[in-house]
Amino acid sequence: MAAKDIEFLKTDLFKIVLKNPSSTPIAPTASTDNDTPGSASPIAFFVHRGLLASLSEELHKHTNNEMREGREGVMELSEVDEATMKAFVEWAYWKDYTTDLQKGPAALLYHTKIYVLADRFNVVTLKGLAYSRITAMLAEIGVVAEKADVEAMVAVVNYAFGNLPFSSSNPKIISVPREPLLKYFAHYTSWALDVFTTSDAFCDLLVQCPDFAQALVFNSNPARRPPWVDAVSQGSDGEVVKPPEVSVTSEEDKSHILSRHCSNCGYIGVMSIMCWHCSKVDNEIGVRIKIDNSVLWTVGQDRIYGEKQDFYYTCKWCNKKKNYYGSALDYSSHDNNNYSLSGNLGSLICRKCTKPGYYRKLTFSN
């Protein structure tokens, strides 16, 4: 370690007092002359002032000012627990913190508290480290199954949404939070929603935390079928009326612009299309939703128009529109000598054998 990196050792020690080292949500910074009784005895930590000031601009302001904090070298924090502050101080000196104190979902709360404390003082590097450990741990855990683990996960989400700024991109509409950890937790909860709906604590969280409820709605997928499809009614004679039959197909619409015959596997139907710009494959366009054999709608019909050999397609991801022309009605894979990779303007993908084919038919000259 270079001499300049340990200059902070020459500075005085700065005292951080945990006035109420409990596990309840972090309160705003307290720095008053009168102590407020807490549920636990205050705990003091000592950090070199120069080191603490170097961690972030926010901490520099706390350690170097004309108020009591700066003059006396004392900062009081309410309701930050001892384990969290130990991890913070350990990271401040060694750029790492102990991770083997707890296992499973309970450990997520430990890392989340560190993330929240880092966010509070805008210590970006520590915040990033805690985030990486939280996401890696959740990826390893997968879906929480045991009731105790579900309750622990609800506590983690509750703590995060209760102590981090939601700050949506547009507060007037339902949207995703800008804070990365809140966004990640909302996505995870939506993904594992089936297990959370069995938890009373989760139901309480939905009522008590509108920000979380909003983020969850944003991450939830719409119903795949309209309600009348599954509705069961009774006829005038009291007999149960069978709900309408629903079918989803891409094989019957021979008039669709992307309907082709695949020379590789023999499939006849609507092909998927690869965008010429972003190379993502749209395998939903042209799918027919039918109720009692009547077409209700065709997916993506507003994104493609024209003729089979000369049409425009707008990508659902990058929103780029392109004219695709010269498309053969018979579908051939790219190893056919009549097609050239270099002349590719986007490709069709067979939905059965997934072989790609190309629009622009070229003539080779010797």
Side-chain angles (χ1 to χ4, degrees):
M1 183 179 293
K4 65 177 182 179
D5 295 330
I6 57 174
E7 284 293 317
F8 67 83
L9 294 175
K10 299 177 182 179
T11 61
D12 60 322
L13 291 176
F14 195 89
K15 185 178 181 180
I16 302 175
V17 179
L18 307 185
K19 294 182 64 178
N20 184 18
S22 66
S23 57
T24 52
I26 292 178
T29 303
S31 180
T32 60
D33 293 328
N34 298 319
D35 290 342
T36 301
S39 60
S41 300
I43 300 174
F45 289 80
F46 294 88
V47 185
H48 286 90
R49 187 192 294 260
L51 175 62
L52 200 59
S54 70
L55 298 180
S56 72
E57 183 178 348
E58 185 72 19
L59 283 170
H60 186 274
K61 292 177 181 178
H62 277 281
T63 54
N64 295 279
N65 58 60
E66 296 303 318
M67 299 174 66
R68 180 191 172 196
E69 283 181 337
R71 294 195 315 270
E72 299 182 8
V74 178
M75 178 168 60
E76 297 173 343
L77 301 179
S78 296
E79 297 171 339
V80 178
D81 63 37
E82 184 178 2
T84 303
M85 185 53 62
K86 280 184 177 179
F88 180 85
V89 174
E90 182 182 4
W91 178 86
Y93 281 95
W94 303 105
K95 295 301 177 280
D96 198 2
Y97 64 86
T98 304
T99 60
D100 59 355
L101 298 179
Q102 297 171 312
K103 301 294 182 182
L108 289 172
L109 184 58
Y110 169 65
H111 294 295
T112 302
K113 288 181 177 181
I114 295 170
Y115 183 99
V116 168
L117 185 59
D119 176 79
R120 177 179 179 180
F121 293 113
N122 198 28
V123 185
V124 178
T125 308
L126 176 58
K127 187 177 175 181
L129 177 61
Y131 180 83
S132 66
R133 288 178 173 170
I134 292 169
T135 55
M137 184 171 291
L138 265 181
E140 182 179 350
I141 293 172
V143 178
V144 287
E146 300 296 330
K147 182 178 179 179
D149 290 342
V150 174
E151 299 295 323
M153 192 64 220
V154 171
V156 171
V157 175
N158 187 16
Y159 185 86
F161 274 85
N163 290 280
L164 290 169
F166 185 78
S167 183
S168 64
S169 55
N170 188 342
K172 295 183 179 180
I173 62 173
I174 292 178
S175 59
V176 66
R178 290 180 177 177
E179 180 60 50
L181 189 60
L182 298 186
K183 187 186 303 184
Y184 191 89
F185 280 159
H187 190 170
Y188 173 82
T189 309
S190 174
W191 172 69
L193 191 58
D194 288 347
V195 299
F196 284 104
T197 53
T198 62
S199 166
D200 291 339
F202 177 75
C203 295
D204 292 339
L205 178 59
L206 289 175
V207 175
Q208 297 167 7
C209 185
D211 285 345
F212 170 68
Q214 175 177 329
L216 186 64
V217 169
F218 185 88
N219 279 276
S220 299
N221 293 321
R224 297 182 63 86
R225 303 194 297 182
W228 56 84
V229 171
D230 296 319
V232 177
S233 60
Q234 291 186 337
S236 58
D237 56 358
E239 292 184 1
V240 175
V241 178
K242 183 181 179 181
E245 293 185 1
V246 178
S247 63
V248 179
T249 179
S250 60
E251 296 185 43
E252 298 178 359
D253 190 2
K254 295 182 181 178
S255 63
H256 194 277
I257 291 172
L258 296 182
S259 180
R260 299 289 189 277
H261 169 249
C262 178
S263 62
N264 182 67
C265 69
Y267 169 83
I268 299 177
V270 180
M271 300 292 169
S272 300
I273 182 170
M274 179 186 290
C275 175
W276 68 276
H277 183 262
C278 69
S279 299
K280 289 189 176 181
V281 177
D282 188 342
N283 56 11
E284 296 179 353
I285 193 167
V287 173
R288 278 181 162 185
I289 311 297
K290 301 175 69 176
I291 296 181
D292 283 341
N293 211 34
S294 298
V295 178
L296 184 63
W297 76 84
T298 302
V299 178
Q301 56 187 351
D302 58 332
R303 291 186 282 106
I304 189 167
Y305 65 90
E307 304 295 331
K308 288 190 177 183
Q309 293 178 289
D310 186 10
F311 63 87
Y312 287 86
Y313 165 73
T314 302
C315 178
K316 61 184 289 188
W317 290 281
C318 68
N319 205 36
K320 297 289 186 179
K321 183 170 73 172
K322 183 69 176 179
N323 177 217
Y324 298 86
Y325 62 94
S327 174
L329 297 182
D330 281 335
Y331 177 88
S332 299
S333 55
H334 63 70
D335 55 356
N336 187 310
N337 286 335
N338 289 328
Y339 293 81
S340 169
L341 288 173
S342 62
N344 177 29
L345 295 178
S347 62
L348 294 172
I349 308 293
C350 177
R351 293 186 179 177
K352 184 176 181 180
C353 68
T354 68
K355 288 282 189 179
Y358 295 87
Y359 291 124
R360 196 176 188 183
K361 188 171 183 179
L362 302 179
T363 301
F364 286 84
S365 59
N366 296 326

